Amino acid sequence: MIRKALGKLNIAIALTLAVVMTGGLGGATYVLASSTSNFTQTINAGTLAVDIVDASYVTVGSPTMAMTAATFSFTCQTITGSFGTASQQIYVKNPDAADAGWVVSLAASAPTAVWNSVGTDFDFNEAGSAGCVDDGATTDADAFGGQMTVNPSAGTLAVGQCTSCVVTNVSKGSSAAFVETTTNSITVLTGAALSDDIGDWKLTGVSISQKIPKEQPAASDYNINMVLTITAS
Amino acid sequence: MEYLRVKKLKARLVGISVMSVLTFALLGVSAPLARAIEYGGFGGRPAFPRADNPRTESIFVHTLNPGDVQEEGVLTVNNSAERKTMLVYSVDSTPSTGGAFACEQLSETKDDVGAWITLEKSEVTLEPGTNELVPFTIAVPTNASVGEHNGCIIIQEKKEQKGEQAGMSLSFRTGLRVAITIPGELERKLEIVGFTVTKRDDGSFLLQPKVKNLGNVSIDADAQVITRYFFGLTHFTHGGQYPILRGDTSDWNFELKKPFWGGWYRSNFIVEYDKNPEAGVGVKSGKELTRLEGPSVWFWSFPTPAALAIEIVILLALAFGGFLFWLSQKRKRWIKENWVSYEVKSGEDIKSLAERFDVSWKLLARVNKLKPPYALKTGEKIKVPPAK
């Protein structure tokens, strides 16, 4: 009789201990008594976003894109680079903000933009002579040669922090070159309607190549402003 | 007595400990595995989604007549960890490569939906974790043409100019599509214009279907590429629902990993869409879908090393089995052609005959279709090997 009672007591004490331990370790808070009953909780709406993050998913303040070095040349030359690295990943987040799909695209801040320098500029969207020479077309406002090609399909796509997400229904864009007025925007990633409604993805190794016209003066200050846009479609 | 009390107390403590650990483990396992997902970044979403169109939760969708004015609003959101000042502006849409939807740049001239939109604010400053409604109006010009017109509301972080910096500098922005349909004779028609399969250096394949929108509205098409084994069994299905903008050709890059088994594969491209005029952006007619089928593309994939090893083993086993079968057939044929008839004499049984003709009694029984106990009658004729 006493043994049975002790056994039951064991269970009761163990259960109490376990609940307290679980609550304590799980970070739960037990309100035993309270004179107020106003509990408020705000969850801010999530938003579709694209960014460059490091391996810990922290935004990279000043992302860079390394390209092969070029030296002065009497012929048109191509330099290459990789957009998105392990420490600077292209990162897409869809926190249930675009269930019907989304598109990440890369464009210059203006179709008339150029690789700007104190000296002679060169173009990023000239179609003439395989991008090497300005063809004088009226559609291209400037008089510079040079063309940038982006190849997202060469990149590596993976899920981000969301371990249950999949890359299914997220596809990389085709290789394409910027051409003023006809190709101002290049698709980097497309999320179909059946892609994860709540998910995040990272893309690395997007191949970039840039044609540099012949006899382009050597300078270290060439710069261009590019815009990465994510659009709910 | 004291010893017994201590022993009981110890047993009780052990019992409590074991029960605690077990219950703790059980509660721990059954507790919901909730993990905080950090939704950082900034952007926006439609402020007034409509219950009759779930698509309005992520984009702005309206059917407006020329001359109409529509009140709308965008909820700008800052979920980052720092205070942000964001530019909010409208632009026209532009097709991106592959026919995908994209938004023009702030610097570009607006002459479509981008120009129809007037925002109450062009800039908002938000503390971390806050949002702000920015109302805007869409005023459709009286000469707007029938069909779908698209534009975007853009939310872009305002950055201080740090002076000219060498290299490529990047800005990030979030765009929300604004789809305005002007009623009239709306045409919804798609056409498959191509489908290619390209082998890549790593052995994988790029499946690239192309579809053209011949109508004057965008169409949400269900594009699927089904890859089958040589014998017709489905190997993999790629695809999804994608908007195909009016007048544009959309193409997609579906990656097919190098098939494990290798061999001949066949990929088919299929598109399904709602051709009925009642359908719209985010609206289904509920009627039968139109199905377009593209050409089949056959391609060869070399097996992976593991598959090749397995296939070689299976082939060798099959070849060996085939050889054994051929051997047994050859023996059967030889027996049929060469064994002779023999009349069983008194005192002979299967064992003695087997010994006499130097053959196993089992073979003798099998050839003569004898059943246990394999008894032979005197004068019975059986087949035996020819005398040597």
Side-chain angles (χ1 to χ4, degrees):
Chain A
M1 189 79 170
I2 295 165
R3 190 175 285 176
K4 271 187 184 175
L6 280 172
K8 280 182 184 171
L9 198 60
N10 276 359
I11 294 169
I13 293 169
L15 196 65
T16 313
L17 269 174
V19 168
V20 169
M21 280 167 75
T22 313
L25 291 174
T29 306
Y30 296 96
V31 179
L32 300 174
S34 174
S35 57
T36 60
S37 58
N38 293 328
F39 294 93
T40 58
Q41 174 69 61
T42 305
I43 298 175
N44 208 18
T47 178
L48 197 64
V50 64
D51 208 345
I52 300 287
V53 297
D54 64 15
S56 307
Y57 300 97
V58 175
T59 300
V60 176
S62 301
T64 54
M65 199 199 66
M67 296 194 83
T68 52
T71 49
F72 178 87
S73 174
F74 289 105
T75 56
C76 180
Q77 57 181 322
T78 305
I79 56 167
T80 58
S82 188
F83 180 34
T85 60
S87 58
Q88 294 193 11
Q89 310 172 95
I90 302 168
Y91 182 58
V92 173
K93 289 175 285 187
N94 178 18
D96 204 20
D99 293 358
W102 45 265
V103 178
V104 175
S105 53
L106 182 68
S109 57
T112 52
V114 287
W115 282 92
N116 193 30
S117 168
V118 173
T120 312
D121 302 337
F122 65 93
D123 211 349
F124 83 102
N125 60 1
E126 173 56 57
S129 302
C132 288
V133 182
D134 183 77
D135 59 3
T138 51
T139 49
D140 185 8
D142 57 57
F144 305 117
Q147 189 176 36
M148 188 190 294
T149 301
V150 181
N151 185 10
S153 66
T156 304
L157 176 67
V159 294
Q161 298 175 90
C162 169
T163 48
S164 61
C165 295
V166 289
V167 295
T168 314
N169 294 308
V170 178
S171 56
K172 294 173 274 183
S174 302
S175 176
F178 286 108
V179 178
E180 192 163 333
T181 69
T182 58
T183 311
N184 291 333
S185 171
I186 293 177
T187 304
V188 177
L189 277 180
T190 306
L194 288 175
S195 61
D196 288 317
D197 289 345
I198 299 176
D200 62 341
W201 298 269
K202 55 189 182 182
L203 178 66
T204 52
V206 173
S207 164
I208 307 261
S209 64
Q210 169 71 49
K211 285 275 172 66
I212 300 178
K214 64 178 183 179
E215 296 168 20
Q216 184 66 32
S220 59
D221 64 341
Y222 289 113
N223 67 85
I224 190 166
N225 294 319
M226 303 295 287
V227 180
L228 199 60
T229 308
I230 187 161
T231 313
S233 58
Chain B
M1 196 71 175
E2 188 64 25
Y3 169 76
L4 279 173
R5 276 175 65 185
V6 169
K7 201 176 173 186
K8 268 186 182 176
L9 194 66
K10 269 186 179 174
R12 196 172 156 189
L13 279 172
V14 168
I16 290 171
S17 305
V18 170
M19 286 292 289
S20 297
V21 168
L22 282 174
T23 319
F24 173 66
L26 199 70
L27 286 172
V29 167
S30 61
L33 291 169
R35 296 282 183 273
I37 298 172
E38 194 182 323
Y39 295 134
F42 63 91
R45 48 199 306 166
F48 310 115
R50 300 194 308 271
D52 64 337
N53 188 344
R55 196 75 177 269
T56 56
E57 287 174 10
S58 51
I59 63 170
F60 302 96
V61 183
H62 291 286
T63 298
L64 301 171
N65 287 302
D68 281 358
V69 176
Q70 176 70 45
E71 302 284 333
E72 255 291 8
V74 58
L75 190 70
T76 54
V77 178
N78 177 15
N79 282 341
S80 73
E82 54 193 33
R83 189 174 196 246
K84 281 199 188 290
T85 297
M86 296 179 285
L87 301 173
V88 188
Y89 56 91
S90 66
V91 290
D92 290 341
S93 68
T94 183
S96 190
T97 51
F101 184 89
C103 307
E104 285 190 349
Q105 300 300 315
L106 178 60
S107 59
E108 292 180 75
T109 310
K110 297 181 280 187
D111 48 22
D112 201 32
V113 173
W116 304 354
I117 293 171
T118 309
L119 287 137
E120 274 190 20
K121 276 186 167 184
S122 60
E123 193 174 303
V124 288
T125 300
L126 294 177
E127 295 299 328
T130 60
N131 55 59
E132 184 179 330
L133 171 69
V134 177
F136 65 90
T137 56
I138 307 165
V140 182
T142 50
N143 61 351
S145 62
V146 169
E148 190 181 301
H149 298 254
N150 284 281
C152 304
I153 297 283
I154 299 286
I155 298 105
Q156 181 173 357
E157 187 179 9
K158 187 180 180 185
K159 283 187 175 174
E160 296 301 323
Q161 287 290 339
K162 289 179 184 173
E164 291 302 319
Q165 209 178 341
M168 187 193 285
S169 63
L170 272 172
S171 301
F172 305 94
R173 55 182 202 164
T174 300
L176 303 175
R177 179 181 168 192
V178 183
I180 309 294
T181 304
I182 311 296
E185 202 170 313
L186 302 178
E187 192 185 6
R188 301 174 63 81
K189 192 177 180 187
L190 294 181
E191 183 183 74
I192 292 177
V193 290
F195 177 43
T196 56
V197 177
T198 314
K199 190 175 183 178
R200 307 207 298 182
D201 294 341
D202 61 355
S204 65
F205 293 85
L206 205 59
L207 316 175
Q208 292 176 296
K210 281 185 184 177
V211 178
K212 188 173 173 61
N213 186 344
L214 304 169
N216 59 2
V217 290
S218 69
I219 294 172
D220 291 331
D222 189 8
Q224 281 205 325
V225 175
I226 302 166
T227 303
R228 293 185 171 88
Y229 293 100
F230 181 79
F231 298 105
L233 201 68
T234 301
H235 166 60
F236 204 88
T237 302
H238 292 89
Q241 199 182 68
Y242 301 90
I244 303 174
L245 304 175
R246 63 181 288 188
D248 273 352
T249 299
S250 287
D251 62 71
W252 304 278
N253 292 314
F254 298 127
E255 272 184 294
L256 180 72
K257 283 183 184 171
K258 182 179 170 63
F260 179 77
W261 291 111
W264 284 100
Y265 291 83
R266 178 168 54 102
S267 287
N268 284 84
F269 177 45
I270 297 157
V271 177
E272 284 189 334
Y273 70 102
D274 199 335
K275 198 176 183 176
N276 304 292
E278 299 90 342
V281 180
V283 179
K284 290 173 183 168
S285 71
K287 295 178 181 171
E288 198 180 346
L289 298 178
T290 300
R291 183 184 170 95
L292 304 176
E293 287 198 33
S296 291
V297 177
W298 284 91
F299 59 95
W300 166 263
S301 174
F302 198 76
T304 58
L308 191 65
I310 294 168
E311 283 165 3
I312 287 171
V313 167
I314 291 171
L315 275 176
L316 285 176
L318 282 173
F320 186 65
F323 174 71
L324 288 180
F325 180 74
W326 172 80
L327 213 62
S328 85
Q329 291 300 310
K330 193 180 170 190
R331 193 163 73 160
K332 269 185 189 172
R333 209 163 42 242
W334 187 86
I335 288 170
K336 199 177 174 184
E337 286 168 2
N338 295 288
W339 279 28
V340 293
S341 185
Y342 176 80
E343 194 177 308
V344 178
K345 295 183 177 67
S346 173
E348 287 180 329
D349 60 9
I350 192 161
K351 201 178 171 190
S352 63
L353 285 173
E355 278 171 13
R356 182 177 165 187
F357 290 100
D358 194 21
V359 69
S360 86
W361 69 267
K362 282 181 183 171
L363 181 62
L364 211 56
R366 198 162 57 241
V367 170
N368 290 287
K369 291 173 185 161
L370 301 176
K371 299 270 185 290
Y374 311 109
L376 294 172
K377 291 174 190 167
T378 306
E380 186 180 346
K381 288 196 171 168
I382 61 167
K383 293 271 186 190
V384 293
K388 286 177 181 171

